[in-house]
């Protein structure tokens, strides 16, 4: 029996656990992007314009300068699940 056989087995085991951890991390923590259309906008005069985007019961807000228009659509990161 070679004195290095235990070291090689340990290296293979560590490599396997590293690959397993990487697979679990990427599948659990990976995000998807979702496009949300403009739901409502409100003109605030000199304060600018509030752009409201609603997705799954939650509102995303963006404020734009006076005279600018709201983007017709935004992209957000959503958790897979």
């Amino acid at each position: 029996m070679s004195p290095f056989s235990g070291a090689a087995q340990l290296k293979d085991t560590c490599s396997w656990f590293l690959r397993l951890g990487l697979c679990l991390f990427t599948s659990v923590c990976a995000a998807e992007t979702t496009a949300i259309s403009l739901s409502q906008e409100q003109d605030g005069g000199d304060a600018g314009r509030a752009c409201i985007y609603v997705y799954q019961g939650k509102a995303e807000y963006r404020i734009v300068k006076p005279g600018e228009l709201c983007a017709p659509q935004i992209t957000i990161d959503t958790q897979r699940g």
Side-chain angles (χ1 to χ4, degrees):
M1 181 176 205
S2 169
F4 298 108
S5 65
Q9 185 178 10
L10 179 61
K11 181 181 175 185
D12 289 343
T13 302
C14 289
S15 177
W16 183 84
F17 276 113
L18 181 61
R19 284 192 304 260
L20 176 64
L22 183 61
C23 288
L24 290 173
F25 177 77
T26 56
S27 65
V28 170
C29 298
E32 295 179 332
T33 57
T34 301
I36 306 172
S37 297
L38 180 65
S39 298
Q40 183 179 3
E41 56 185 302
Q42 294 183 350
D43 188 2
D46 293 337
R49 180 179 299 275
C51 310
I52 305 164
Y53 305 84
V54 179
Y55 175 73
Q56 292 186 345
K58 296 179 185 175
E60 294 282 333
Y61 299 92
R62 304 290 188 267
I63 305 296
V64 295
K65 296 176 184 176
E68 291 184 6
L69 299 175
C70 293
Q73 183 174 359
I74 62 169
T75 303
I76 62 166
D77 290 333
T78 54
Q79 191 72 22
R80 283 188 197 172

